[in-house]
Amino acid sequence: MRLFIAMLASLLAACPPAPLETHTDDSVTVEEPSPITWDECSAALGEHACDFTFQDQAGNDWSLYDQYGSIIVLDFSVMWCGPCQSAANQVAAHVSKYADDDVIWVTVLLQDMTGGSVSLDDVQNWQNTYAIPNESPILQGDNSIVDSTGQIGYPVMSYPTIVVIDREMVMYQGLHGWSQEVVEGWIDELLLLDAEANSG
């Protein structure tokens, strides 16, 4: 009996346990599955475009696959090329025309004025010279993205090379050279397909 009383006394003299903390978190985040489900890519029409990441005119990383769901115009240009400069002159009008359609014009500069590497100053100068809006990325590209076969890169064989990618990240059309009418015709075709799909 004495032993029981001694044990009871020692228990009463001990510190009580701290109350258990309970957390209720109503902000459970469920991540959406990635829409990027394919394993292979190429620069062939009808195939999924290959991803790439370059820095833009703000010095931020810009990745192609982050734009899934948008129509994308890729403009592979070099700074010394006259037709590339002509295309650059039309970017602001393009951005304005398709402002409500989630169409992105992306300039990937591959060479500076001397054929060398493209710097942040170069892409900023390109933006200022041609009054390109901030929502139109200008990237510090390089020839690592180019492959004449189209298997491990984009088949840029003349400047500019324009590629239009649909909302599913599929290569829709491509053009070596510059024609505003042709490029806008392709965009309009994709927008028409969108409208038909949404009405059906």
Side-chain angles (χ1 to χ4, degrees):
M1 181 71 170
R2 258 187 246 169
L3 180 59
F4 174 74
I5 292 172
M7 286 176 59
L8 184 60
S10 68
L11 283 173
L12 292 174
C15 295
L20 293 175
E21 291 186 342
T22 57
H23 296 282
T24 57
D25 187 1
D26 295 333
S27 61
V28 175
T29 304
V30 177
E31 285 195 27
E32 294 290 324
S34 172
I36 312 300
T37 57
W38 53 90
D39 295 323
E40 296 181 2
C41 66
S42 81
L45 296 182
E47 300 290 332
H48 286 108
C50 294
D51 195 18
F52 59 83
T53 301
F54 289 120
Q55 285 198 325
D56 65 14
Q57 66 266 40
N60 299 320
D61 283 347
W62 188 97
S63 295
L64 180 67
Y65 281 7
D66 289 344
Q67 317 311 313
Y68 182 92
S70 300
I71 294 172
I72 301 163
V73 178
L74 292 181
D75 165 11
F76 294 101
S77 282
V78 293
M79 296 183 73
W80 48 263
C81 155
C84 300
Q85 296 163 9
S86 296
N89 269 320
Q90 300 303 317
V91 174
H94 165 91
V95 170
S96 177
K97 178 174 181 176
Y98 297 107
D100 298 327
D101 298 310
D102 196 15
V103 177
I104 305 171
W105 184 290
V106 183
T107 305
V108 184
L109 288 178
L110 300 175
Q111 297 175 14
D112 68 8
M113 288 298 288
T114 64
S117 298
V118 178
S119 69
L120 179 59
D121 283 344
D122 290 329
V123 294
Q124 291 172 342
N125 288 339
W126 190 263
Q127 178 179 25
N128 294 333
T129 300
Y130 301 104
I132 296 174
N134 287 331
E135 57 266 34
S136 182
I138 307 164
L139 308 182
Q140 300 173 59
D142 59 46
N143 285 328
S144 66
I145 199 170
V146 176
D147 170 34
S148 61
T149 69
Q151 295 304 304
I152 57 172
Y154 291 83
V156 179
M157 291 178 279
S158 62
Y159 304 116
T161 290
I162 308 292
V163 174
V164 176
I165 300 172
D166 73 13
R167 298 191 193 279
E168 301 296 320
M169 209 57 70
V170 172
M171 302 280 289
Y172 182 67
Q173 293 287 358
L175 172 69
H176 297 292
W178 169 241
S179 168
Q180 181 178 354
E181 294 76 16
V182 168
V183 173
E184 289 188 355
W186 292 337
I187 295 167
D188 293 341
E189 286 172 11
L190 286 174
L191 293 175
L192 182 61
L193 291 172
D194 283 351
E196 290 172 352
N198 292 332
S199 67

